[in-house]
Amino acid sequence: MIQVSNIERFATHDGPGIRTTIFLKGCTLHCPWCANPETWSIQPVLLHDASKCIQCRRCETICPNHAITFPFTWKQDLCSDCRKCEDICLAEAISFSGRKMEIADLAAEVCKDWDYYEQSHGGVTISGGEPFTQFEAFLALLKACKAAGLHVAVETTGNFTQEKLLQALPYIDCFLMDCKHLDADKLAAVTGGNLALIQANFAYLSKHCPDKVIVRMPVIPRFNEDCCKDVIDYAKSLHFKEVHLLPFHTMGKSKWHQMQKDFHYEKDAMMDKESLLPYVDYGKARGIHVQIGG
Ligand code: SF4
Ligand code: SF4
C-alpha cells in the first residue's frame, strides 16, 4: 500500500510528452514556498475551506475524537481518519489529502492513458512531497510502472541516501531533480535539506547517467534569486544538459490557509517569467539548455 495525495492526468509540465503525475505523501524538507504543503505528512491531512464553511459545527459534533474545535482547528494527532466530518459537511468545506492505494491499482490507473503516452512519448511522473520518503512502496511502484512498459520520471529533492538511489535507479528514466541552493547552511536553515547528500546524488548521476537528469531550480524571492548563474554553472560542471528555472508562484497559498497555517510569502507577487529570460542566453553561451518553467 502507498499513501497518495493526488493523481493528475494529462500533465504536460512534468517531463516529456503527455503524462500522469502521481503526488505521493511524505516529504523530508519543509520549503516555506511549497505549493503542496498537504503532502508533507505521510498521514492524511484535513483541508478546511473557510470561504465555504457556514459555521454549522456539525463536523465538531460528529468527530468521535474531538479532533475539531472552533474557531476551526484540526488536531492531526487526535484524528483517526474516519472521514465522518467530510461526509457530514453539507457545504463541502472539508476535504482530505491522502488515501491508501494498492500499488497494482495505482499502476492500472496510470495505464488508462497508455494511448496518449504512446502518441506523445509521455509516461508517468512520480512526484510529491518527496517520493523517496515512502521508500519501499515507492520502489514497488517504480517496478510496477517499468513492468508495464511506462517511461518513468521522478520529481525529487535529491535529499535521500545514495543507497536508496542505487536501488531505484534501474527503474527511473528521467530525474527532475531540484537544486534549490548551493550554500549548505542556508539550504538547511530554510528547507531542512542536506546539501552533502543532494550533491553526492548529483555527482553519482553525473558519473553514471547524466542524460537522465534535468536540474530544476525553484527561483524564490530573498532565498536564491541571485544564485541562478551558480546553479547553471554547477549543472554544466556535472555534464547535465538541461536546467529548468521555475519562477516563484503563489498557487499553493490557499492550501496553507486551508491547513490553518501562515504562508510565508503572503505579500509576494508571482515572479515575472521575463525577468529570468537573460539566463537562457547565459546557458546558451555555456552550451547548456536553460528553460524557464517546467
Ligand atoms: S460541517 Fe462544514 S460547514 Fe459546518 S462547520 Fe464544519 S466545515 Fe463548516
Ligand atoms: S476524520 Fe474523523 S476523527 Fe478525523 S477530524 Fe474528521 S471526524 Fe474527526
Side-chain angles (χ1 to χ4, degrees), residues 31 33 177-181 215-221 223-225 228 244-248 271 276:
C31 307
W33 58 85
M177 190 150 139
D178 282 357
C179 183
K180 299 177 202 283
H181 214 295
V215 177
R216 285 187 147 187
M217 177 187 180
V219 185
I220 307 299
F223 173 62
N224 64 4
E225 57 196 331
C228 296
H244 293 178
L245 299 179
L246 311 177
F248 168 78
M271 191 173 279
L276 299 177

Side-chain angles (χ1 to χ4, degrees), residues 48 53-59 70 72 88-89 91 93-94:
H48 173 251
C53 178
I54 54 172
Q55 302 285 320
C56 67
R57 300 179 73 152
R58 286 155 65 99
C59 51
F70 275 74
F72 194 95
I88 205 166
C89 179
I94 290 178

Side-chain angles (χ1 to χ4, degrees), residues 37 45-50 67-69 71-76 93-95 253-263:
V45 165
L46 185 152
L47 297 163
H48 173 251
D49 187 342
I68 294 174
T69 51
F72 194 95
T73 310
W74 173 69
K75 291 205 169 63
Q76 187 178 30
I94 290 178
S95 60
K253 189 197 284 192
S254 63
K255 293 182 187 171
W256 287 80
H257 297 162
Q258 288 177 24
M259 294 168 65
Q260 301 92 54
K261 287 185 175 177
D262 293 331
F263 182 53

Side-chain angles (χ1 to χ4, degrees), residues 163-213:
E163 188 191 342
K164 289 181 177 172
L165 176 66
L166 295 184
Q167 288 183 66
L169 187 54
Y171 310 101
I172 299 174
D173 300 299
C174 175
F175 287 83
L176 303 163
M177 190 150 139
D178 282 357
C179 183
K180 299 177 202 283
H181 214 295
L182 292 168
D183 179 312
D185 292 339
K186 194 153 187 184
L187 183 76
V190 176
T191 74
N194 180 332
L195 187 63
L197 215 54
I198 295 166
Q199 290 196 317
N201 288 332
F202 268 129
Y204 187 91
L205 292 169
S206 165
K207 190 171 175 191
H208 297 277
C209 50
D211 292 348
K212 281 190 176 186
V213 177

